[in-house]
Structures are given as C-alpha cells and as structure tokens.
Amino acid sequence: MANPSLRCDQTPAWAALKAHHAASPRPFDLHAAFAADPRRFENFSQDAPHVFADLSKNLVDAGTEALLFDLADQCELAKHRDAMFAGELVNSTENRAVMHWLLRNPAPAEETRVKVATNSIAAELTQVHDTLEPMLAYAEKIRADDNITDIVNIGIGGSDLGPQMVVLALEDFRLPGKRIHFVSNVDGSELAGVLAQLKPQNTLFLIASKTFTTTETMTNAASARQWFEARGGKDIARHFAALTTNVAAANAFGISTTFGFWDWVGGRYSLWSAIGLPIAIAIGGAGFRELLAGAHAMDAHFRTAPLAQNLPVRLGLLDVWYRNFLGFTSRSIAPYSSALRRLPAYLQQLEMESNGKSVDAQGTTLPYATAPVLWGEPGTNGQHAYFQMLHQGTDVVPVEFVTVKKAGHGLPGHQEKLLANALAQAQALMLGKADDGGHKHFSGNRPSTFLLLDTLTPASLGALIALQEHRVFVSGAIWGINSFDQWGVELGKVLAKDLEARLESGDSAGLDGSTAGLLTRLRA
C-alpha cells in the first residue's frame, strides 16, 4: 500500500490527539456526555446501506472525531481508498492489486464490454461475470439434482470461514434437502465425523484451494477421494469440483469441473468469488447476487460518502483511537443472532490477519500498536460466559453488538427477549451501578457500538461484511501497513514440513531443547 507522506504518529493530528487525550477527564464520562449534548444519539449514529449504527456509547466527543478526521486527511486516507478502487498495486509486498470489491460490481453494459481493451478494470469486470455466470449455473444444476443431498466444502482460512459463516447466517434462505458441511482442520476427526454421515452416491465434494497445494486442504481432499473410491464411488468428475486457479493440478486429481479466480482476490476476501460456490448452492444464484448487491451498496457508500458521514471510516478511526490513545487491546464481537454465530471467527481472520503487523509497508518497525484481538460469542450465550469481565474486569473492552430487528422465525416472545437483552447489556456497560459494598459495583463508562440490521437477508449480510472489510482497510491505511499480505503464517508452514519428516524418522538433531523433548515424547 502506498504510504502517506508522513507516518501517522508524525502528523500534527496525532500530536493533537495525544494532547486532547491528556487534557480530557479520566475516565470519559458518558453520563455527562449525554447530559451536555441532548442530540448525542443523533450526532453519533447514522444509516449506511442496510446497516444502522449507534456510536453514541463510545468514548468520543465531537472534538475527538474532528481530530480523527484531521488524522485521516493528513494520512491521505481518501487517496489510499481511491488507489484501491482504481486497481493500483496497493498490496506492495506481493505487487498485486486489491480488487475483491470488483467481484460485487454489476455486469458491464454491452457497449462497455465491446470497449474493454481501453480499460483494464472494465476488462477484469467482464472476466468476473464470465466466471460468475457458469459458477451460478453450476450451483443451480446441483440444487436441481435430487441425487446430491450433501455438499462438503473442503478448504481452510478464507476458503472456509467466509462461506461457512454466510451459509449458517442465511439458514432461512437455504434450499431444503441439501446439507452443506465444512471441513477445514487437518485433524482427521473432523473429516471422519462428516464422512460418517454421507453416502458416496449422494455427495459432492468442493475442493477450495487457490493453488491446489494447501497442506490441510489437499490432505483432506485425498482422504475424501480414498473414502469415496473405497465405498464404490466411480465418477470422481461428477462428485468432485475444484475452486482453484491451478486447473492442471485439479485435472490430475481427477476433477474436470473447476472455477477460478484472480491473484487480486485475497483469501479472506474471497467469499464473493468462486470460493462462494457453497453459498450459491445454499441460497441460489439470485440470493448470491443479492449478497453481492448488498456489498456493492456498501462499497459505493465507502467510496463516495464524505468522511464525516462515512460509516467504515468512522469505525476504522474509532479503532485507531481506542488502540493507540486509550490503549485498549481487544474488541468483543457480540452478535445477538444465533445465525451470526460464526461472525466473530470470520472477523478474527479479517482483522487480525490483515492488520496484525508490526512493520509498515516499507518494512520499518512500528513504534505503535496495530490490530486489537477480536473475540466473542453470540448473545445471550456470552452473557453467561464472559460478560462478567466486560462489566467488572480490570480491562476495558469495547463491545460491538450486532443485532437484527426482525426475526426469521415465528416463535412468539423470543425476539423481544433477545433484543431486550442486547439493549440492556449496552445500557448496563454504559451506566454501571454504584454500590458501597464493592462486589456489586459496576463502574460503567464501558464503550460499545450497536449495529442494527432490519432483517438478516443476503443483501444486508453482504453490506455488513463489506462494512467490516472497509473498516479494516481504514485502520490499516492510517497505520501505514499492508493489510493484504500475511507473511506471518508462512514460517510455521515451513517448520511443520520439517517436523513432519522428523516425527517419522525421530531425528532431533539441531532442534531446540523444548521441540526435541516434545518430539521424543510424541514418538514414545
């Protein structure tokens, strides 16, 4: 990613934010903030496509936000955003463009398709839809095939977390009679547990690996093929498909049906691509297009809304404020929707793999903190697990409530109780409760953001995901890091290959004492 002329901590706005924080009363008093500004809710909440956000319970005032917008200007945030949407090589360490957003763009008009040679983005968009159409046609074919009752997606990381989260979230839109399973872990018990439920003649395996070399995925794929053949499966070409750019390797595996994507699609941003095939099978081609359309609407908002009314910008800047000035080290994601139960895991990869960096885009060590730790569970389960710490623990943890106004079920009384609990937790975190005895004292002034969808649909979910993607981009751009590489995952892969051979041979020469001792114990 191109860097601003000044690193964020060298800008006048950064110094002004430090001074502002030093001069502000501690702790920030949300009671007083609401009393001083009768319109605080209106001023710190806004609508964006398919998402309403209440930011009023956060530890910011108008002065803080103004300085954060100054920081965005001085770090040339708009320039970074526009570079991404222009197809520039913002992933500098891999010399790649970052254009997952293009996967969500509507198909170009026919006259545009004729002129693609003059516009590389238009040419890419044409290719996107030339790939999307057969992928969705294949999804419809599988949906119409009554002999296929089970679809097993074998992938890991972005080839698993995104599609799995979306399929679970859109359960109300799924086609009856099709069970969709996700296998990611190289631990064979996960695959074995799924295979035990299947019949070869009724199963379709989707092998999702960009390179068709990912160790976990290919190990599981090979075992799935062995299981299939051992139980009389004859037609691998019919019962296996690949989501990959390595067509030759897929063909060598026995797969003839492949759907590819581009090097400008990062794994954690790939659910919009062919990696989303299990989503399309679950909710249909029309539903998948609605998912894309909802995300595209949020793209347009991020691209065109003024910074002060731009929800991804406001959230990303709030993340910088909390991380670098208030020193908060984590954020809890609390989806008050069982359908969104995998959202925290998905967001963990999105944010921590993107912004968990300690060097800037030029490789210089940073003197300030970057990505917080993300964690959470769906409400109301989380209330009976870790909310004790949120209310009375020694660490202040900002909470992000994600709620849905209208339920997808017809059970009376449930949704009202669910929403009442979400409102109550946000209110309790803010207000607290005085108690002289100590044990029942709640300090209050614990910050939270409240995101509200009217209904959970493909379009609203698409918008919510795109909102989170762009929010991560914003904080990464401010910190001057490359949010689109992930070199931190590579070292362990290399060492694992060496240690796998050592587990077989018993050779511990040259290993550190701990690893050698564990290797010996594992072989005993």
Side-chain angles (χ1 to χ4, degrees), residues 484-498:
F484 301 102
D485 62 12
Q486 53 282 327
W487 299 108
V489 306
E490 298 302 322
L491 178 59
K493 292 180 182 179
V494 174
L495 295 177
K497 289 181 180 179
D498 173 63

PDB file of all heavy atoms in Angstrom, residues 484-498:
ATOM      1  N   PHE A 484      -2.984  -6.485   3.201  1.00  0.00           N
ATOM      2  CA  PHE A 484      -3.396  -7.514   2.256  1.00  0.00           C
ATOM      3  C   PHE A 484      -2.376  -8.628   2.064  1.00  0.00           C
ATOM      4  O   PHE A 484      -2.535  -9.464   1.192  1.00  0.00           O
ATOM      5  CB  PHE A 484      -3.752  -6.859   0.917  1.00  0.00           C
ATOM      6  CG  PHE A 484      -4.858  -5.857   1.062  1.00  0.00           C
ATOM      7  CD1 PHE A 484      -4.596  -4.493   1.089  1.00  0.00           C
ATOM      8  CD2 PHE A 484      -6.160  -6.279   1.233  1.00  0.00           C
ATOM      9  CE1 PHE A 484      -5.614  -3.573   1.265  1.00  0.00           C
ATOM     10  CE2 PHE A 484      -7.191  -5.365   1.407  1.00  0.00           C
ATOM     11  CZ  PHE A 484      -6.916  -4.003   1.421  1.00  0.00           C
ATOM     12  N   ASP A 485      -1.312  -8.653   2.865  1.00  0.00           N
ATOM     13  CA  ASP A 485      -0.429  -9.814   2.862  1.00  0.00           C
ATOM     14  C   ASP A 485      -0.566 -10.532   4.200  1.00  0.00           C
ATOM     15  O   ASP A 485      -1.315 -10.095   5.076  1.00  0.00           O
ATOM     16  CB  ASP A 485       1.022  -9.422   2.554  1.00  0.00           C
ATOM     17  CG  ASP A 485       1.628  -8.480   3.598  1.00  0.00           C
ATOM     18  OD1 ASP A 485       1.022  -8.304   4.679  1.00  0.00           O
ATOM     19  OD2 ASP A 485       2.701  -7.919   3.336  1.00  0.00           O
ATOM     20  N   GLN A 486       0.122 -11.650   4.358  1.00  0.00           N
ATOM     21  CA  GLN A 486       0.037 -12.430   5.607  1.00  0.00           C
ATOM     22  C   GLN A 486       1.275 -13.290   5.757  1.00  0.00           C
ATOM     23  O   GLN A 486       1.193 -14.508   5.892  1.00  0.00           O
ATOM     24  CB  GLN A 486      -1.241 -13.294   5.652  1.00  0.00           C
ATOM     25  CG  GLN A 486      -1.480 -14.212   4.460  1.00  0.00           C
ATOM     26  CD  GLN A 486      -2.020 -13.517   3.254  1.00  0.00           C
ATOM     27  OE1 GLN A 486      -2.775 -12.549   3.367  1.00  0.00           O
ATOM     28  NE2 GLN A 486      -1.636 -13.984   2.083  1.00  0.00           N
ATOM     29  N   TRP A 487       2.428 -12.631   5.733  1.00  0.00           N
ATOM     30  CA  TRP A 487       3.682 -13.378   5.828  1.00  0.00           C
ATOM     31  C   TRP A 487       3.824 -14.094   7.158  1.00  0.00           C
ATOM     32  O   TRP A 487       4.566 -15.080   7.273  1.00  0.00           O
ATOM     33  CB  TRP A 487       4.866 -12.432   5.593  1.00  0.00           C
ATOM     34  CG  TRP A 487       4.820 -11.809   4.232  1.00  0.00           C
ATOM     35  CD1 TRP A 487       4.519 -10.511   3.927  1.00  0.00           C
ATOM     36  CD2 TRP A 487       5.051 -12.456   2.975  1.00  0.00           C
ATOM     37  NE1 TRP A 487       4.550 -10.306   2.568  1.00  0.00           N
ATOM     38  CE2 TRP A 487       4.881 -11.485   1.949  1.00  0.00           C
ATOM     39  CE3 TRP A 487       5.384 -13.760   2.606  1.00  0.00           C
ATOM     40  CZ2 TRP A 487       5.029 -11.785   0.601  1.00  0.00           C
ATOM     41  CZ3 TRP A 487       5.528 -14.059   1.259  1.00  0.00           C
ATOM     42  CH2 TRP A 487       5.357 -13.081   0.271  1.00  0.00           C
ATOM     43  N   GLY A 488       3.116 -13.640   8.160  1.00  0.00           N
ATOM     44  CA  GLY A 488       3.231 -14.249   9.482  1.00  0.00           C
ATOM     45  C   GLY A 488       2.779 -15.695   9.544  1.00  0.00           C
ATOM     46  O   GLY A 488       3.110 -16.407  10.495  1.00  0.00           O
ATOM     47  N   VAL A 489       2.007 -16.154   8.560  1.00  0.00           N
ATOM     48  CA  VAL A 489       1.532 -17.540   8.603  1.00  0.00           C
ATOM     49  C   VAL A 489       2.506 -18.497   7.922  1.00  0.00           C
ATOM     50  O   VAL A 489       2.330 -19.723   7.984  1.00  0.00           O
ATOM     51  CB  VAL A 489       0.135 -17.670   7.952  1.00  0.00           C
ATOM     52  CG1 VAL A 489      -0.844 -16.697   8.579  1.00  0.00           C
ATOM     53  CG2 VAL A 489       0.204 -17.446   6.439  1.00  0.00           C
ATOM     54  N   GLU A 490       3.547 -17.958   7.267  1.00  0.00           N
ATOM     55  CA  GLU A 490       4.391 -18.804   6.419  1.00  0.00           C
ATOM     56  C   GLU A 490       5.429 -19.604   7.202  1.00  0.00           C
ATOM     57  O   GLU A 490       5.720 -20.753   6.870  1.00  0.00           O
ATOM     58  CB  GLU A 490       5.096 -17.952   5.359  1.00  0.00           C
ATOM     59  CG  GLU A 490       4.139 -17.238   4.408  1.00  0.00           C
ATOM     60  CD  GLU A 490       3.229 -18.202   3.661  1.00  0.00           C
ATOM     61  OE1 GLU A 490       3.715 -19.300   3.285  1.00  0.00           O
ATOM     62  OE2 GLU A 490       2.045 -17.885   3.473  1.00  0.00           O
ATOM     63  N   LEU A 491       6.038 -18.992   8.236  1.00  0.00           N
ATOM     64  CA  LEU A 491       7.124 -19.660   8.946  1.00  0.00           C
ATOM     65  C   LEU A 491       6.671 -20.990   9.538  1.00  0.00           C
ATOM     66  O   LEU A 491       7.361 -22.014   9.429  1.00  0.00           O
ATOM     67  CB  LEU A 491       7.680 -18.748  10.045  1.00  0.00           C
ATOM     68  CG  LEU A 491       8.791 -19.340  10.916  1.00  0.00           C
ATOM     69  CD1 LEU A 491       9.993 -19.749  10.065  1.00  0.00           C
ATOM     70  CD2 LEU A 491       9.201 -18.325  11.993  1.00  0.00           C
ATOM     71  N   GLY A 492       5.519 -20.993  10.175  1.00  0.00           N
ATOM     72  CA  GLY A 492       5.015 -22.227  10.783  1.00  0.00           C
ATOM     73  C   GLY A 492       4.797 -23.322   9.748  1.00  0.00           C
ATOM     74  O   GLY A 492       5.022 -24.506  10.019  1.00  0.00           O
ATOM     75  N   LYS A 493       4.355 -22.934   8.538  1.00  0.00           N
ATOM     76  CA  LYS A 493       4.149 -23.931   7.480  1.00  0.00           C
ATOM     77  C   LYS A 493       5.469 -24.612   7.117  1.00  0.00           C
ATOM     78  O   LYS A 493       5.533 -25.835   6.956  1.00  0.00           O
ATOM     79  CB  LYS A 493       3.565 -23.259   6.237  1.00  0.00           C
ATOM     80  CG  LYS A 493       2.147 -22.747   6.380  1.00  0.00           C
ATOM     81  CD  LYS A 493       1.708 -22.120   5.059  1.00  0.00           C
ATOM     82  CE  LYS A 493       0.309 -21.534   5.139  1.00  0.00           C
ATOM     83  NZ  LYS A 493      -0.089 -20.908   3.864  1.00  0.00           N
ATOM     84  N   VAL A 494       6.530 -23.803   6.986  1.00  0.00           N
ATOM     85  CA  VAL A 494       7.838 -24.347   6.623  1.00  0.00           C
ATOM     86  C   VAL A 494       8.339 -25.300   7.705  1.00  0.00           C
ATOM     87  O   VAL A 494       8.818 -26.406   7.420  1.00  0.00           O
ATOM     88  CB  VAL A 494       8.848 -23.205   6.388  1.00  0.00           C
ATOM     89  CG1 VAL A 494      10.257 -23.753   6.160  1.00  0.00           C
ATOM     90  CG2 VAL A 494       8.412 -22.352   5.195  1.00  0.00           C
ATOM     91  N   LEU A 495       8.247 -24.867   8.968  1.00  0.00           N
ATOM     92  CA  LEU A 495       8.723 -25.699  10.069  1.00  0.00           C
ATOM     93  C   LEU A 495       7.907 -26.987  10.189  1.00  0.00           C
ATOM     94  O   LEU A 495       8.449 -28.042  10.547  1.00  0.00           O
ATOM     95  CB  LEU A 495       8.675 -24.907  11.373  1.00  0.00           C
ATOM     96  CG  LEU A 495       9.611 -23.693  11.459  1.00  0.00           C
ATOM     97  CD1 LEU A 495       9.404 -22.962  12.777  1.00  0.00           C
ATOM     98  CD2 LEU A 495      11.067 -24.111  11.295  1.00  0.00           C
ATOM     99  N   ALA A 496       6.602 -26.900   9.897  1.00  0.00           N
ATOM    100  CA  ALA A 496       5.755 -28.085  10.020  1.00  0.00           C
ATOM    101  C   ALA A 496       6.190 -29.180   9.049  1.00  0.00           C
ATOM    102  O   ALA A 496       6.155 -30.385   9.389  1.00  0.00           O
ATOM    103  CB  ALA A 496       4.298 -27.714   9.789  1.00  0.00           C
ATOM    104  N   LYS A 497       6.605 -28.802   7.859  1.00  0.00           N
ATOM    105  CA  LYS A 497       7.057 -29.806   6.884  1.00  0.00           C
ATOM    106  C   LYS A 497       8.306 -30.535   7.402  1.00  0.00           C
ATOM    107  O   LYS A 497       8.425 -31.751   7.280  1.00  0.00           O
ATOM    108  CB  LYS A 497       7.345 -29.133   5.547  1.00  0.00           C
ATOM    109  CG  LYS A 497       6.089 -28.673   4.811  1.00  0.00           C
ATOM    110  CD  LYS A 497       6.430 -28.033   3.470  1.00  0.00           C
ATOM    111  CE  LYS A 497       5.166 -27.595   2.756  1.00  0.00           C
ATOM    112  NZ  LYS A 497       5.459 -26.948   1.452  1.00  0.00           N
ATOM    113  N   ASP A 498       9.224 -29.770   7.969  1.00  0.00           N
ATOM    114  CA  ASP A 498      10.440 -30.379   8.522  1.00  0.00           C
ATOM    115  C   ASP A 498      10.092 -31.304   9.694  1.00  0.00           C
ATOM    116  O   ASP A 498      10.601 -32.429   9.791  1.00  0.00           O
ATOM    117  CB  ASP A 498      11.394 -29.278   8.969  1.00  0.00           C
ATOM    118  CG  ASP A 498      12.599 -29.827   9.715  1.00  0.00           C
ATOM    119  OD1 ASP A 498      13.373 -30.590   9.103  1.00  0.00           O
ATOM    120  OD2 ASP A 498      12.762 -29.499  10.917  1.00  0.00           O
TER     121      ASP A 498
END
